[in-house]
Amino acid sequence: MFNNRIKIKELLAQEPAGQQVTVMGWVRTFRNNQFIALNDGSTNNNLQVVLELGKFPEELLKRITTSASLRAQGVVEPSLGKGQKMDLKATTIEILGDSDAEKYPLQPKKHSLEFLREKAHLRFRTNTFGAIFRVRHALAFAVHQFFNQKGFIYLHTPIITASDAEGAGEMFKVTTLPMDGTAPKNEEGAVNYKEDFFGRATNLTVSGQLEGELGATAFGEIYTFGPTFRAENSNTARHLAEFWMIEPEMAFCDLEDNMNLAEEFIKYIIGYAMQHNAEDLQFLDQRLAEEEKQLPQDKRSEMGLLDKLKFVVDNQFERITYTAAIDILRESNYNKKKKFQYEITGWGMDLQSEHERYLVEKHFKKPVILSNYPAGIKAFYMRQNEDGKTVAAMDILAPGIGEIVGGSQREERMDRLTTRMKEMNIPEEELWWYLDTRRFGTVPHAGFGLGFERMVQFVTGMNNIRDVIAFPRTPGSAEF
RNA sequence: UCCUCCUUAGCUCAGUUGGUUAGAGCAUCUGACUGUUAAUCAGAGGGUCGUUGGUUCAAGUCCAACAGGGGGAGCCA
């Protein structure tokens, strides 16, 4: 029987008054042959388990090592020491799993994030990663709660897709054909995917959007929240080969409705985490402050983590058009002093991340929603504006992270859509099912994609995306 | 993929213009102490200096390639 245990988070919320309890967890430190700091993952706060001297056999004490797991039973009393309000005076200690102190790689001290990345299977047992993954959970839960409250349907779009027309990047192939050169060939000498498992070439999804639109044009409002894959050789602190994306799609919705929803959504999930994970965020706030002490003054954030989150929740995002952004950039002192590495060449150029960062971090100092981009730098499905030059696209840029949301109103007019597809060499035959939504009861609709890990980065203040996903997949790296 | 930096004990890092037996703190082990807070004190063990090749009388130190990692850029979420 294990279900008679009380979680440490719950116990620490009580007043110590002689309760008889059972706790289970992992040893963080064992001081003085007398004091166990026990952690069970429910909170970063440890329970101090006190062993009366001489009451427990030497052989047992020797087995209480860092990360050993144990069951402790005893009585809860106010602590005599200063660091905690209660002690568990142990009557029985039972080691559930030994941990060889000479071999266990984590010590009760500061480890670098790079080191812990190589110990990703054990890093959950540290304070930093404990806090990160509890916050990640809260954000994921808040995503579902937000959309559920609004009557959105959670649609599971496929992970294996046949379409490679989405243009969102390089894809991972999915096949059961042999890789040793003996795969069946067609007349042209290429691999004959007609003989593959699905009878055609298939890939891992790069986006659930196109399928999401099929759902939105029946249910009205849907969202997806699932794994997404990109086979790009991207080696940065904000890219993964496998990541989680949230993609709402709404019928009867234009660009402005879309921006409103995205802003409300971001504020909601941040607010949820602030409310439900205050201690973890406080810990991460301090961690970030400590880390930034190492940096030169000009590299430090102007606001602490908690202040930043509160600011984002309490203030309107700045909304400007792409065209206005180009003007701001062109007129900026930064540009006049030639501080940009990439020149502001003028309307039509794609913004580089240094330009986005300037707008967000230097000019507006708050999240910015950029909208109505030139058609030439955006995807085929985005709705063409009446000016004949721009499309109803929007990106949300967050301080320190960059693009966190990319979305648009979709082109619902069949003729406009197919003309655009021809221009961009997107084969209509492959997307016949997508085009059917425009054939049968087409409707103005819009949606966006939010990179979940980037959101977790923003809320936890972690600057490497590999530290906010349990087991990161990046080029050359798929351990665990 | 490009640019740049890094790789010395389990971890974090010193190691001088190339020079003889490569150091520290923490961790670990042994002992002492016992209301501790990353406990403290004393002692001990622990290294193919990322790999391969080269220069040199001599390489942790200089050069090259490769591998792994960090930071920045591109692609994007």
Side-chain angles (χ1 to χ4, degrees):
Chain A
M1 261 287 268
F2 288 96
N3 68 2
N4 61 345
R5 77 182 172 114
I6 183 169
K7 292 214 177 182
I8 288 172
K9 183 181 184 179
E10 195 187 327
L11 179 58
L12 291 177
Q14 300 179 4
E15 288 309 313
Q19 306 92 309
Q20 191 88 34
V21 300
T22 301
V23 295
M24 296 175 209
W26 294 266
V27 175
R28 281 288 172 82
T29 59
F30 184 34
R31 289 184 291 267
N32 232 349
N33 247 355
Q34 220 184 147
F35 303 99
I36 302 171
L38 193 72
N39 187 281
D40 70 357
S42 60
T43 164
N44 268 353
N45 297 314
N46 302 321
L47 176 68
Q48 173 151 287
V49 180
V50 182
L51 280 61
E52 206 177 304
L53 278 171
K55 209 175 156 189
F56 294 88
E58 196 67 20
E59 310 83 74
L60 179 76
L61 297 181
K62 276 200 168 14
R63 293 172 66 197
I64 301 173
T65 55
T66 303
S67 243
S69 57
L70 56 80
R71 174 194 339 234
Q73 288 175 295
V75 180
V76 182
E77 288 177 356
S79 180
L80 301 175
K82 287 220 172 71
Q84 55 284 317
K85 76 169 177 182
M86 67 177 73
D87 288 344
L88 178 68
K89 295 267 191 190
T91 49
T92 65
I93 296 283
E94 183 193 347
I95 305 283
L96 299 173
D98 288 286
S99 173
D100 185 338
E102 282 193 77
K103 297 199 177 114
Y104 183 68
L106 305 185
Q107 299 156 24
K109 69 165 216 174
K110 240 196 181 83
H111 285 294
S112 69
L113 294 170
E114 293 81 13
F115 172 74
L116 290 170
R117 235 167 264 156
E118 288 168 17
K119 304 277 180 287
H121 57 310
L122 296 172
R123 65 180 177 171
F124 301 125
R125 298 187 189 189
T126 64
N127 284 336
T128 299
F129 286 92
I132 291 168
F133 284 95
R134 279 188 299 271
V135 170
R136 182 179 166 119
H137 162 78
L139 291 169
F141 189 83
V143 166
H144 291 299
Q145 185 146 300
F146 176 83
F147 287 120
N148 186 52
Q149 281 170 3
K150 291 201 170 284
F152 283 56
I153 293 290
Y154 177 27
L155 186 69
H156 295 103
T157 51
I159 289 170
I160 298 173
T161 64
S163 145
D164 63 353
E166 289 158 50
E170 287 296 310
M171 303 178 96
F172 288 102
K173 287 186 166 52
V174 175
T175 182
T176 54
L177 293 175
M179 291 283 103
D180 57 5
T182 61
K185 300 281 183 347
N186 60 21
E187 295 87 53
E188 287 96 57
V191 172
N192 185 6
Y193 285 104
K194 288 201 174 111
E195 293 195 34
D196 201 352
F197 188 90
F198 294 107
R200 59 190 302 168
T202 50
N203 303 293
L204 292 178
T205 184
V206 292
S207 162
Q209 182 202 316
L210 299 189
E211 289 91 347
E213 288 187 45
L214 309 182
T217 52
F219 297 110
E221 291 166 322
I222 65 96
Y223 71 104
T224 72
F225 185 2
T228 310
F229 306 88
R230 303 277 164 88
E232 304 285 350
N233 192 4
S234 295
N235 291 290
T236 79
R238 56 187 188 284
H239 287 89
L240 291 165
E242 177 184 289
F243 63 100
W244 288 68
M245 187 153 65
I246 295 145
E247 294 178 289
E249 194 69 37
M250 296 79 72
F252 320 111
C253 180
D254 66 13
L255 186 66
E256 197 184 339
D257 298 323
N258 197 24
M259 292 192 280
N260 290 342
L261 184 86
E263 181 168 342
E264 184 187 350
F265 170 60
I266 289 171
K267 288 176 172 175
Y268 178 88
I269 62 174
I270 293 175
Y272 184 93
M274 289 173 78
Q275 199 186 334
H276 291 84
N277 291 64
E279 280 188 347
D280 288 324
L281 289 174
Q282 209 154 0
F283 176 86
L284 291 165
D285 179 80
Q286 279 163 20
R287 193 205 71 85
L288 188 64
E290 282 295 314
E291 190 181 80
E292 296 210 335
K293 272 187 199 163
Q294 323 280 328
L295 297 174
Q297 200 118 46
D298 62 313
K299 292 252 169 100
R300 293 181 203 167
S301 315
E302 286 181 31
M303 272 186 241
L305 180 63
L306 287 172
D307 290 342
K308 179 189 78 176
L309 295 178
K310 191 169 184 314
F311 180 86
V312 167
V313 169
D314 290 345
N315 288 278
Q316 289 255 297
F317 293 6
E318 193 69 37
R319 297 187 188 192
I320 59 163
T321 63
Y322 165 89
T323 306
I326 290 287
D327 289 341
I328 290 169
L329 289 168
R330 193 192 283 120
E331 296 306 315
S332 68
N333 280 332
Y334 239 64
N335 185 43
K336 288 175 177 159
K337 289 183 187 161
K338 305 237 182 271
K339 280 206 195 167
F340 288 125
Q341 207 181 327
Y342 291 86
E343 209 187 328
I344 308 297
T345 52
W347 199 91
M349 67 175 283
D350 210 347
L351 296 181
Q352 302 293 322
S353 59
E354 61 170 341
H355 305 140
E356 296 179 346
R357 294 186 67 151
Y358 175 84
L359 290 170
V360 172
E361 290 163 23
K362 295 265 191 308
H363 190 82
F364 290 115
K365 303 187 184 216
K366 51 155 62 173
V368 175
I369 311 183
L370 279 180
S371 60
N372 297 305
Y373 284 82
I377 57 173
K378 287 290 179 182
F380 75 91
Y381 49 73
M382 297 187 176
R383 192 174 196 278
Q384 297 158 47
N385 289 329
E386 295 318 309
D387 62 13
K389 302 192 304 193
T390 59
V391 290
M394 64 105 175
D395 284 356
I396 302 185
L397 311 175
I401 309 287
E403 185 177 346
I404 198 163
V405 161
S408 67
Q409 186 174 341
R410 318 306 188 190
E411 183 54 81
E412 83 282 10
R413 297 161 297 187
M414 186 63 152
D415 54 331
R416 301 276 198 125
L417 182 59
T418 51
T419 306
R420 192 90 186 100
M421 286 171 76
K422 280 194 192 83
E423 285 168 12
M424 297 178 84
N425 290 319
I426 300 191
E428 279 181 47
E429 326 69 86
E430 266 195 50
L431 291 180
W432 62 270
W433 46 271
Y434 180 71
L435 293 172
D436 265 6
T437 55
R438 275 62 169 177
R439 281 187 191 103
F440 308 117
T442 192
V443 62
H445 65 292
F448 63 85
L450 176 135
F452 186 57
E453 281 75 18
R454 289 189 183 172
M455 192 69 222
V456 181
Q457 274 187 276
F458 184 74
V459 175
T460 58
M462 301 303 294
N463 47 41
N464 194 313
I465 200 166
R466 292 161 202 186
D467 296 328
V468 300
I469 189 166
F471 303 107
R473 271 85 182 94
T474 54
S477 171
E479 190 79 54
F480 311 110

